[in-house]
Amino acid sequence: MCGIAGFWQNNSQHSPEQLEKSVSLMADALFMRGPDSSGTWCDPEIGLALGHRRLSIIDLSPAGHQPMVSANGRSVISYNGEIYNFKAIRAELHAAGVKLRGHSDTEVLLEAVEHWGIEDTSNRLVGMFAFALWDRKEQILYLVRDRLGIKPLYWGRFGDLFLFGSELKALREHPGCKPEVDRNALAAYMRHGYIPAPNTIYKNISKLSPGTILVLRQGQEPEIKTFWNIQSVSAQGLADRHDISDSEAVEKLHDLLTDAVTCRMIADVPLGALLSGGYDSSTVVALMQANSSSKVKTFSIGFMEQDYNEATHAKLVAAHLGTDHTELYVSPGEARNVIPGLPYIYDEPFADSSQIPTYLVSELTRRSVTVALSGDGGDEIFAGYNRYFQGNRFIEFRKKMPGFMRDVMDKSIHGLSPDSWSRLAAWLPTRYRIPAFGDKLYKLAGIMQSNPDDIYRSLVSHWNQPAEIVKNATEPDSVLMDEAYTAHISNIIERMQLLDTVTYLPDDILTKVDRASMAVSLEARVPLLDHRVVEYAWQLPLELKLRDNEGKWVLKQVLYKYLPRQLVDRPKMGFGVPIGDWLRGPLREWAESLLSRERLEREGFFHADPIRKKWQEHLSGSRNWQHHLWCVLMFQAWHERWM
């Protein structure tokens, strides 16, 4: 895994020394993504420079050094990622008479583009990747990002200067970058807790969307082409729905997952896995151990607060599978010590508080291995989120309820505080308990009159009217507001899955894992997001994923081949920390300094009244506004660090 950076400045004279200095500063900002070595390649005549930081994983020799020039000298690449089928592509190239010099997937990728072209090659790749390729003959710069958005890639324009990099901090290092907060993007952030692609927190800088290729020619505007997109995959999957038995579906998924996992176990450095004890990570670890001649190294983080502790479950799973397991119990103080560094790690505002345990487990894992497999993606692909089946039940229930009864229910729900409802829910049988039940019940009450698509938007929103919180902002259009985007899907659960896969998955989940792991120079691989698995999952009827009001049915059947049900069948916990309690306790002074009326009004981004109101209600215990407040706090902390 690596970090890439570079720029192209037309109509400007640069000495080789100037080009190299600027691009070196950009690449060095990504040191933790690639601490093993660095490199630059510059063309003073055209004003173009490529930079690279390397984390050596495959072919540790100098033959894998980047930026890399093709054998015939035509193309130069700076690449971040892993191509898991590079040996098969290498064999194809060899059969076609292409001679290779080393053993790295970088060279295979570079020579494949030379042989087949950028689009054909991109479609052949199985893996995670973000790369820049300069075609010296055609004088074209290509930027390419993988299908699901596992690896990040940013680009921006400032006059005749075009910049790109794996993280925003790399772009900021160029003297021509003039970052300015985009208030419209800030409004989108207040809704989601992350900034949806293609927007970023800065004007004139964008995220390259998953599955796309940016083409830049001298003196022209960038052209963006799509080589794979989940909307088309879902439409094709619905059209080609398999008439398949339960057992056939399970066996086909088992074979696909086995291949996805084993090809991700190839590395020339120590390898392990992140294990929470849930269905997704347990499936990955089970397949790893079944296909390994030695004990797989597994890692988990534990917390003293039992409502947030999954380590006990992970330990039982590890013991049954026979892995070499390491667990670390973290004190609340140690977890909170991560917070000051978050604005640097996530160098645009990011408010998923599970970023804290994700960083901690990455840090623990990196002490022993350089590569780790994780179970991310299972919820989106196999319908695992509680909101899918709870939302569906609510929609069906709402259809049968007269309008006056909705009003009665709304008043009844608001008769008790969210905390009171959560305390009552604690008396339910374990399998029916829902984390933060009271807050979710209030959220459902607030959308009692909404249509199904509005219900989904509300379920995934923090601030429902963010433009009323951010001064002088208009929330940008997104697929969440575009009902035509999911018009080909009749089922609300599958519409939710599609929207999550194109928004929440790349811009929250994968962003969280990438930044947390790369901050400690750990490569994280996500086999459940092998695009072949994703495409197959969309071909399966929904009843193979959702059955008896529980998700991931077909995935669970694969796991049950290796683990007894009683070891993994338990309510979904999530991966979080008690931010709400911390804000009332040890983080109160820090939060108050960032949320003070004087500061909010002086900095001028937010209307202070609604924020102060929620802060006071949170402190009093009458409402739990942790998600809303964490959004504001993470922006404030980011602004203090970067602006």
Side-chain angles (χ1 to χ4, degrees):
M1 197 55 57
C2 307
I4 68 173
F7 63 91
W8 186 4
Q9 188 154 22
N10 293 322
N11 307 317
S12 182
Q13 295 297 316
H14 296 273
S15 68
E17 293 77 18
Q18 288 173 317
L19 285 174
E20 185 166 345
K21 179 180 179 181
S22 293
V23 79
S24 293
L25 287 171
M26 294 176 70
D28 288 347
L30 305 171
F31 173 81
M32 293 307 295
R33 298 188 75 93
D36 294 333
S37 67
S38 64
T40 62
W41 184 92
C42 304
D43 184 342
E45 290 186 13
I46 197 68
L48 184 136
L50 304 178
H52 191 263
R53 293 292 322 192
R54 185 183 184 194
L55 177 63
S56 301
I57 302 295
I58 293 175
D59 189 356
L60 311 185
S61 74
H65 183 75
Q66 296 187 53
M68 182 180 291
V69 181
S70 61
N72 64 11
R74 172 174 173 169
S75 303
V76 190
I77 194 171
S78 184
Y79 152 63
N80 168 29
E82 299 291 348
I83 306 303
Y84 303 118
N85 64 332
F86 79 97
K87 290 184 178 179
I89 296 175
R90 181 188 182 90
E92 281 191 82
L93 290 171
H94 180 75
V98 178
K99 298 187 183 301
L100 299 172
R101 298 159 287 173
H103 302 282
S104 70
D105 61 341
T106 306
E107 184 184 12
V108 170
L109 172 58
L110 179 59
E111 298 300 338
V113 173
E114 289 265 308
H115 187 68
W116 290 305
I118 196 82
E119 290 188 54
D120 193 1
T121 297
S122 298
N123 278 301
R124 290 170 183 263
L125 304 178
V126 176
M128 54 183 183
F129 48 88
F131 63 88
L133 185 137
W134 172 239
D135 185 328
R136 300 171 76 180
K137 179 181 178 181
E138 299 294 334
Q139 301 237 303
I140 299 174
L141 177 65
Y142 297 101
L143 301 183
V144 185
R145 190 179 181 197
D146 64 56
R147 296 172 178 86
L148 277 302
I150 302 169
K151 291 292 101 184
L153 191 52
Y154 295 87
W155 64 275
R157 298 203 74 173
F158 296 87
D160 63 357
L161 173 65
F162 180 89
L163 298 163
F164 67 88
S166 296
E167 297 180 22
L168 288 171
K169 58 175 66 75
L171 277 66
R172 287 185 60 111
E173 285 297 321
H174 192 285
C177 181
K178 308 297 182 187
E180 181 182 350
V181 172
D182 184 337
R183 290 175 181 265
N184 297 339
L186 177 56
Y189 162 76
M190 295 296 285
R191 176 181 297 280
H192 301 284
Y194 59 84
I195 298 174
N199 301 293
T200 74
I201 192 59
Y202 299 124
K203 294 179 179 179
N204 302 316
I205 299 179
S206 301
K207 298 179 180 78
L208 186 63
S209 293
T212 62
I213 302 168
L214 183 148
V215 183
L216 183 63
R217 295 175 173 83
Q218 189 168 21
Q220 298 184 24
E221 290 298 309
E223 176 188 0
I224 297 180
K225 302 178 178 180
T226 298
F227 70 89
W228 190 94
N229 77 80
I230 190 64
Q231 184 188 35
S232 297
V233 167
S234 65
Q236 190 64 47
L238 291 170
D240 297 337
R241 276 279 151 97
H242 286 350
D243 181 12
I244 190 171
S245 69
D246 288 358
S247 59
E248 289 173 322
V250 172
E251 288 308 311
K252 176 67 181 295
L253 179 60
H254 180 266
D255 291 344
L256 278 172
L257 288 177
T258 298
D259 183 63
V261 168
T262 54
C263 73
R264 285 164 177 79
M265 294 172 66
I266 299 171
D268 296 331
V269 293
L271 176 141
L274 310 179
L275 179 62
S276 70
Y279 295 111
D280 302 336
S281 65
S282 296
T283 301
V284 170
V285 171
L287 292 170
M288 290 177 72
Q289 191 59 71
N291 291 278
S292 175
S293 58
S294 59
K295 287 190 172 186
V296 171
K297 294 180 180 295
T298 54
F299 304 87
S300 64
I301 286 287
F303 296 97
M304 301 304 176
E305 299 94 332
Q306 286 307 303
D307 287 347
Y308 298 88
N309 183 36
E310 292 187 295
T312 53
H313 305 291
K315 188 174 183 179
L316 292 171
V317 170
H320 187 90
L321 294 174
T323 71
D324 178 6
H325 190 60
T326 301
E327 65 177 4
L328 175 68
Y329 273 78
V330 179
S331 71
E334 290 173 309
R336 291 192 297 271
N337 286 341
V338 174
I339 294 173
L342 293 177
Y344 184 78
I345 296 171
Y346 298 87
D347 53 0
E348 67 178 346
F350 185 77
D352 183 339
S353 61
S354 63
Q355 61 200 140
I356 297 171
T358 304
Y359 174 83
L360 289 167
V361 75
S362 297
E363 185 179 48
L364 169 69
T365 304
R366 185 62 176 91
R367 298 174 193 173
S368 303
V369 302
T370 309
V371 176
L373 275 63
S374 82
D376 294 292
D379 288 310
E380 292 84 359
I381 306 308
F382 295 104
Y385 286 125
N386 287 331
R387 63 173 171 263
Y388 294 159
F389 33 96
Q390 291 166 0
N392 188 53
R393 282 200 301 251
F394 174 76
I395 290 165
E396 293 302 315
F397 175 67
R398 175 189 166 280
K399 286 179 183 176
K400 302 172 184 176
M401 182 178 290
F404 77 91
M405 284 297 295
R406 295 178 201 161
D407 295 335
V408 170
M409 178 171 283
D410 181 79
K411 291 176 181 176
S412 299
I413 289 172
H414 284 90
L416 291 176
S417 70
D419 285 347
S420 297
W421 282 114
S422 293
R423 285 194 293 271
L424 287 173
W427 291 92
L428 291 171
T430 301
R431 65 173 299 182
Y432 295 112
R433 292 178 197 167
I434 300 170
F437 174 76
D439 291 307
K440 291 174 181 176
L441 192 62
Y442 261 54
K443 200 164 196 176
L444 287 176
I447 56 178
M448 193 67 73
Q449 310 297 336
S450 304
N451 66 44
D453 291 307
D454 287 336
I455 289 172
Y456 171 76
R457 281 191 287 270
S458 183
L459 288 172
V460 298
S461 296
H462 297 315
W463 295 84
N464 271 308
Q465 301 296 330
E468 295 178 4
I469 306 301
V470 182
K471 292 182 176 179
N472 305 316
T474 300
E475 188 177 1
D477 293 333
S478 75
V479 296
L480 290 187
M481 312 302 176
D482 181 8
E483 294 186 5
Y485 190 83
T486 56
H488 62 289
I489 303 177
S490 59
N491 184 277
I492 183 61
I493 292 175
E494 292 182 308
R495 292 211 297 273
M496 291 181 185
Q497 283 184 268
L498 175 58
L499 291 170
D500 274 345
T501 305
V502 79
T503 58
Y504 181 67
L505 178 63
D507 294 327
D508 186 305
I509 299 299
L510 295 175
T511 295
K512 174 185 67 180
V513 174
D514 175 81
R515 302 306 189 279
S517 59
M518 286 284 90
V520 295
S521 305
L522 174 73
E523 176 176 302
R525 298 178 177 178
V526 282
L528 299 184
L529 291 179
D530 187 303
H531 75 276
R532 299 167 299 176
V533 174
V534 174
E535 290 170 354
Y536 175 68
W538 271 103
Q539 293 168 1
L540 294 176
L542 183 59
E543 56 266 25
L544 285 172
K545 288 168 273 188
L546 187 69
R547 191 170 293 188
D548 299 325
N549 282 318
E550 292 186 8
K552 302 182 185 176
W553 184 87
V554 68
L555 182 68
K556 290 175 184 178
Q557 308 317 302
V558 173
L559 178 59
Y560 295 153
K561 292 175 180 286
Y562 302 93
L563 286 171
R565 293 172 181 245
Q566 62 268 25
L567 207 58
V568 287
D569 284 353
R570 57 186 175 85
K572 188 176 180 64
M573 286 184 68
F575 193 41
V577 288
I579 286 292
D581 294 336
W582 290 356
L583 291 177
R584 296 186 185 101
L587 294 181
R588 179 170 179 168
E589 184 177 344
W590 168 77
E592 181 60 55
S593 70
L594 294 174
L595 299 177
S596 71
R597 179 176 295 277
E598 184 276 331
R599 180 167 186 163
L600 292 171
E601 291 177 347
R602 169 169 45 86
E603 293 178 347
F605 288 102
F606 299 115
H607 294 286
D609 285 346
I611 294 171
R612 293 296 303 174
K613 183 174 185 292
K614 281 184 168 47
W615 177 230
Q616 294 305 318
E617 289 177 351
H618 186 83
L619 291 177
S620 72
S622 63
R623 292 295 304 270
N624 182 359
W625 293 118
Q626 62 179 20
H627 299 302
H628 297 71
L629 295 169
W630 196 244
C631 276
V632 183
L633 288 165
M634 285 293 96
F635 173 79
Q636 292 289 86
W638 170 86
H639 186 266
E640 184 174 70
R641 168 62 180 81
W642 289 103
M643 302 302 290

